[in-house]
Amino acid sequence: MYVTGAQWVLPGLYRDHFPLLHPDKDGKMVHYLDNSATTQKPEILIQATSFFYQNFNANVHRGVYGLAAQATQAYENVRAAVARFIKAPQAQEIIFTSGATESLNMVANWMGQALLKKGDEVIVSMMEHHANLVPWQQQCARSQAKMVAWLPNEKGELDLDRLQSLITKETRVIAVTHVSNVLGTVNPIREICALAHQHNILVVVDGSQAVAHIPVNVEDMDCDFYCFSAHKMFGPTGLGILYGKKDLLNQVTPFRFGGEMVDIVTFEESSFMPLPARLEAGTPNMAGVYGMGATLNFLKSVTYDAIYLAEQKLMHHMFQLLERMEGIKLLGQASERVPVFSLLFEDMHPGDVAQVLDQMNVAVRAGYHCAMPLHRYYQAGNGSLRVSLAFYNNQEDLEALEEGLKKARKLLVR
Ligand code: PMP
């Protein structure tokens, strides 16, 4: 276990619960340091998904027979569990989507259609993932609204004074990430919402990178919309969440039309169901939702307090590692952060370094991490090498990373 003193020992919290991280019969294992792209899955989720198919599989909200009723009940139980998990006041405020990308597009699409008009302004932070940037570009073009960039400071933090100076009478929406997938910065969403709401501005938050690291309380933050993907929080792929305040969600125009979301349909026209069905057309990812319930139970037993402590140790260790290395610059030095580190090299290309690391079974991401404007802003034309950690990462992972970085220098720098 963890030993205090000069030597930091990182056991990897609940690592045994993640089958993909187990060593193979030859003792080889993947050092998975790409958790911002997707997190690994706990055994309990893998089992729950197959349990659903073996025991509960029937389409939800349709059949009157017992199996369909059971499947529907299980599905709705998870909606309520998600609401409790992020402290949403009502289960109806949780919409299941295919991922954060769909959630964000659904909100932007509605705003572009119904809210934004010529001359309006949408403030988008420069640290957004393309999923919270491109939809706004599209909707601003459609409605002739203007996108205004909120630039981070040199530490990689978004500063509220700067936001205040960007707000005008025309500002309608602020789109901002809770946690940056490149810099690791945790943004002050509560304060952003408080300022925005003084000016009747809506706040759309991309929570994709927050949920694996910090507890989310949408009521306390008072955000209008909060979007994230289950697969980034040890949950299933193909499942996203859109949280919205009920009065706003009630106004959101459906993004998809079809079965499940309609009430009365004639050949000429249709009326729609109330929330949440109105925004969930078609057969949803039922097994994924069921599995998500298992993941939430798992995270409850892990606890965010334990995650915080494990990640503080990982960060400390990672900073020490970086200090020992030559020729590396860290993108972003925010004081509130999670263990996501994007590295720039004086004399190596991040893509080449990632290849050397791959030879040592160290999985990291090289490139722009779907945040090209941010890399351009920080003049990181070649992109960066991202090491993104989760609570199950351990000492061996970081040792393999360090060894790999040293090997890359030996091979690539003359
Ligand atoms: N926002 C952020 C900050 C992300 O990191 C990602 C995934 N890389 C997304 C949005 C999009 O998530 P998904 O691909 O699961 O829809």
Side-chain angles (χ1 to χ4, degrees):
M1 287 303 287
Y2 171 56
V3 179
T4 48
Q7 185 69 26
W8 287 75
V9 177
L10 308 163
L13 192 62
Y14 281 79
R15 190 174 173 102
D16 292 356
H17 291 242
F18 292 84
L20 192 140
L21 301 175
H22 294 173
D24 67 13
K25 58 178 183 357
D26 305 319
K28 249 174 73 175
M29 63 178 178
V30 63
H31 298 289
Y32 187 75
L33 307 179
D34 193 18
N35 293 286
S36 290
T38 195
T39 50
Q40 293 307 334
K41 311 306 169 203
E43 181 72 44
I44 193 173
L45 159 66
I46 299 166
Q47 280 173 8
T49 310
S50 105
F51 184 86
F52 178 87
Y53 285 126
Q54 284 180 12
N55 297 284
F56 280 158
N57 187 46
N59 212 328
V60 293
H61 300 132
R62 287 165 169 84
V64 290
Y65 52 90
L67 191 61
Q70 262 184 320
T72 303
Q73 190 58 54
Y75 183 83
E76 289 305 323
N77 286 348
V78 178
R79 191 192 306 282
V82 172
R84 287 193 298 276
F85 200 77
I86 63 166
K87 309 280 186 290
Q90 299 182 44
Q92 293 165 60
E93 294 175 315
I94 303 299
I95 307 298
F96 289 123
T97 65
S98 65
T101 301
E102 189 185 18
S103 304
L104 290 160
N105 271 278
M106 202 190 280
V107 177
N109 181 67
W110 162 61
M111 289 190 178
Q113 242 179 52
L115 195 86
L116 297 175
K117 54 183 189 336
K118 189 173 175 181
D120 283 349
E121 291 177 6
V122 177
I123 297 177
V124 181
S125 102
M126 188 58 95
M127 64 170 80
E128 294 315 300
H129 184 280
H130 297 160
N132 199 24
L133 177 81
V134 183
W136 299 109
Q137 287 174 348
Q138 294 294 310
Q139 297 307 326
C140 285
R142 173 186 192 173
S143 55
Q144 293 185 278
K146 188 173 128 198
M147 256 175 77
V148 177
W150 181 10
L151 303 176
N153 61 24
E154 59 298 331
K155 282 176 75 185
E157 294 169 332
L158 290 173
D159 150 326
L160 289 168
D161 290 338
R162 209 173 268 188
L163 175 62
Q164 176 78 68
S165 73
L166 298 175
I167 291 175
T168 70
K169 283 203 299 299
E170 278 63 56
T171 312
R172 297 287 162 263
V173 191
I174 297 169
V176 64
T177 193
H178 194 171
V179 170
S180 162
N181 70 322
V182 176
L183 311 168
T185 311
V186 179
N187 288 318
I189 300 299
R190 198 160 175 265
E191 290 72 17
I192 293 169
C193 293
L195 178 58
H197 293 157
Q198 282 169 24
H199 301 270
N200 287 324
I201 299 167
L202 294 174
V203 184
V204 180
V205 182
D206 177 357
S208 305
Q209 295 295 339
V211 281
H213 304 286
I214 52 178
V216 171
N217 185 330
V218 289
E219 199 175 23
D220 179 61
M221 290 188 292
D222 197 27
C223 51
D224 298 292
F225 294 98
Y226 195 90
C227 306
F228 58 100
S229 292
H231 73 95
K232 304 236 196 231
M233 57 181 301
F234 321 101
T237 54
L239 177 68
I241 279 73
L242 164 63
Y243 156 80
K245 287 181 179 165
K246 190 175 164 197
D247 58 333
L248 291 168
L249 275 184
N250 265 325
Q251 296 169 49
V252 171
T253 31
F255 186 53
R256 299 180 193 284
F257 300 89
E260 244 345 76
M261 51 80 68
V262 283
D263 184 14
I264 309 284
V265 181
T266 68
F267 192 75
E268 292 77 21
E269 58 180 15
S270 310
S271 61
F272 304 137
M273 295 290 280
L275 287 177
R278 213 166 61 79
L279 298 175
E280 289 181 8
T283 300
N285 181 356
M286 303 174 300
V289 168
Y290 190 75
M292 180 67 169
T295 288
L296 294 183
N297 285 335
F298 172 71
L299 282 174
K300 256 193 268 163
S301 56
V302 176
T303 76
Y304 278 105
D305 284 347
I307 293 176
Y308 175 81
L309 287 177
E311 291 193 348
Q312 287 300 312
K313 288 173 201 166
L314 284 165
M315 277 198 280
H316 177 91
H317 203 91
M318 189 64 195
F319 278 123
Q320 288 194 331
L321 183 160
L322 292 175
E323 260 173 37
R324 290 193 290 273
M325 308 297 299
E326 277 171 75
I328 295 184
K329 191 177 151 229
L330 180 62
L331 211 47
Q333 304 278 348
S335 30
E336 286 292 317
R337 63 175 301 141
V338 300
V340 174
F341 301 86
S342 291
L343 313 179
L344 305 176
F345 301 97
E346 256 167 34
D347 33 25
M348 297 187 284
H349 193 285
D352 296 337
V353 179
Q355 277 189 5
V356 174
L357 288 170
D358 176 48
Q359 289 163 12
M360 304 179 69
N361 271 329
V362 177
V364 293
R365 173 103 170 255
Y368 301 100
H369 327 307
C370 299
M372 274 194 200
L374 182 69
H375 279 84
R376 194 161 304 136
Y377 174 64
Y378 284 122
Q379 286 152 12
N382 288 333
S384 59
L385 183 98
R386 185 180 66 187
V387 176
S388 53
L389 306 176
F391 59 76
Y392 44 59
N393 285 123
N394 65 6
Q395 185 98 14
E396 279 163 290
D397 292 336
L398 293 198
E399 281 169 4
L401 172 70
E402 182 162 6
E403 214 181 303
L405 289 173
K406 284 185 187 153
K407 185 172 171 194
R409 272 198 84 71
K410 247 193 227 147
L411 289 173
L412 302 169
V413 182
R414 294 191 187 270

